[in-house]
Amino acid sequence: TNGGVTWGARVDLTTSTAKILIQNTHTMSVTGITTNLGTVTSTDGNWTFNGAVSSTGSIGSNSGNTTFASTFQNNGIFDVGAGVATATDAFTNTSSTNGGSGRLVIGSTWTNTGSFTPQSGTVRFAGTAAQTIPVTSLNNLDVRTTGGDATLAGSLTATGTTNVVSGSTLAIGNATYTAVGLITNTGTITKGATGKIIHTAESNRFTDANGTAVSSYSTPGSVYIQVQDSNRNLLGGSVESMNVSFAENPNAGSDSETFTLTETAASSGIF
C-alpha cells in the first residue's frame, strides 16, 4: 500500500505466499488480532499492531518503525531493520529474530528460546517493572527500566556499548557480564557475591598534575596515575574510588606501591 490504512478487525495471512507491503513512510494500523503465515514488511512505512500477533511467517522493516501494543509470538522470522521495533507487552521468540541496525525495545517480558542475531543494533529494556534479560548475544545494551531492576538471567556478552540511565539498575547477580565496549552508567550496576564484569580498561597512564600524559618525571616530584575503566563506575550518582598496584620490575624484586585513585566526577569512569 502507498497510503495509510487502519484495520478495525483482525488480519489473517493464511498462506506462505500472502504478502502485505507498506512504503513511502505511510502507517498501517491493525486493531484486532493478527495471524501471519506469509510476509508482512515495509520499506520505510510504520506498522502498529494493537491486537495480539502470532507469526510463523516473516515480519520486518527496512527503516520504518514497528509497534506491538499487545503480545507478540514470533515462530518465524522477525527483522528489526534500521528503525525502532517496540514490544510493549510480552515478546516470545521461538524461532529467529534479527537485530538489524535499529533498536529493539522490550517493554515487558522477553522469552527467547529461539535465536537472536544482534547484528549492529541495540536492545533497550524499558519496562515499568522488574525485567529479566535472557541469555543471548547482544551488541548494544541500553537499560532504562523504572520500578525494578533489569537482571541478567545468566552470563552473556555485549560486543558493543552498555548504557544504564539514571534511575535504572542493571543487576548482574551471580552471572558474568562481558562488556566489550564502553560502559556508560549514570544509574546503578550491582553484582552478587560471585558475579563479575569482564571489561578491558580503556586506558591507564602516568600524567602531570593537569592530567596530561608524561613519559618521565623529575626528582624530587610527584607521580600521578590515571586509569579510565568504565566498569568500575557502578554507582553513577556517586564519586567512587579504586586501588591500583604499581611495580617497576617485580621479577627482579623491586618494591610495589598501592595507590587509591578517586573518580574525577560521578559516572566519569576516570580515576
Side-chain angles (χ1 to χ4, degrees):
T1 177
N2 284 315
V5 174
T6 298
W7 272 297
R10 63 181 295 147
V11 173
D12 294 304
L13 275 68
T14 57
T15 68
S16 60
T17 57
K19 184 175 183 179
I20 299 176
L21 168 66
I22 308 175
Q23 57 188 4
N24 298 333
T25 68
H26 293 299
T27 296
M28 185 79 73
S29 179
V30 181
T31 302
I33 296 171
T34 299
T35 302
N36 174 42
L37 276 67
T39 301
V40 176
T41 187
S42 74
T43 53
D44 51 1
N46 300 316
W47 276 102
T48 299
F49 298 95
N50 293 300
V53 176
S54 178
S55 175
T56 56
S58 175
I59 296 179
S61 173
N62 290 339
S63 60
N65 299 328
T66 307
T67 300
F68 301 93
S70 186
T71 58
F72 174 33
Q73 174 85 30
N74 176 46
N75 302 317
I77 299 174
F78 174 47
D79 291 308
V80 174
V84 177
T86 302
T88 304
D89 207 331
F91 171 39
T92 301
N93 175 53
T94 65
S95 187
S96 177
T97 296
N98 300 310
S101 60
R103 182 167 67 244
L104 172 62
V105 180
I106 305 298
S108 181
T109 60
W110 179 15
T111 302
N112 184 44
T113 58
S115 66
F116 175 71
T117 304
Q119 298 175 297
S120 61
T122 297
V123 176
R124 172 180 292 177
F125 286 83
T128 56
Q131 293 184 279
T132 299
I133 301 174
V135 177
T136 187
S137 296
L138 298 174
N139 182 47
N140 301 323
L141 172 62
D142 186 22
V143 177
R144 296 173 182 262
T145 55
T146 58
D149 298 349
T151 303
L152 301 188
S155 299
L156 61 86
T157 297
T159 57
T161 61
T162 300
N163 182 52
V164 183
V165 302
S166 177
S168 297
T169 297
L170 171 61
I172 307 299
N174 291 320
T176 297
Y177 180 59
T178 302
V180 177
L182 181 68
I183 301 172
T184 302
N185 173 35
T186 56
T188 302
I189 300 175
T190 62
K191 296 184 293 181
T194 59
K196 60 182 178 180
I197 301 172
I198 297 177
H199 173 77
T200 302
E202 283 76 22
S203 66
N204 52 80
R205 61 184 184 173
F206 292 100
T207 72
D208 61 19
N210 298 316
T212 302
V214 298
S215 58
S216 63
Y217 292 100
S218 300
T219 55
S222 298
V223 175
Y224 299 89
I225 299 173
Q226 183 185 90
V227 175
Q228 181 178 0
D229 192 356
S230 55
N231 82 299
R232 297 301 186 103
N233 169 40
L234 300 180
L235 302 173
S238 302
V239 174
E240 299 171 85
S241 61
M242 65 179 294
N243 294 328
V244 297
S245 297
F246 171 73
E248 181 180 359
N249 189 356
N251 294 329
S254 64
D255 292 336
S256 63
E257 298 288 342
T258 298
F259 300 87
T260 298
L261 306 183
T262 302
E263 203 171 8
T264 58
S267 77
S268 73
I270 301 174
F271 299 82

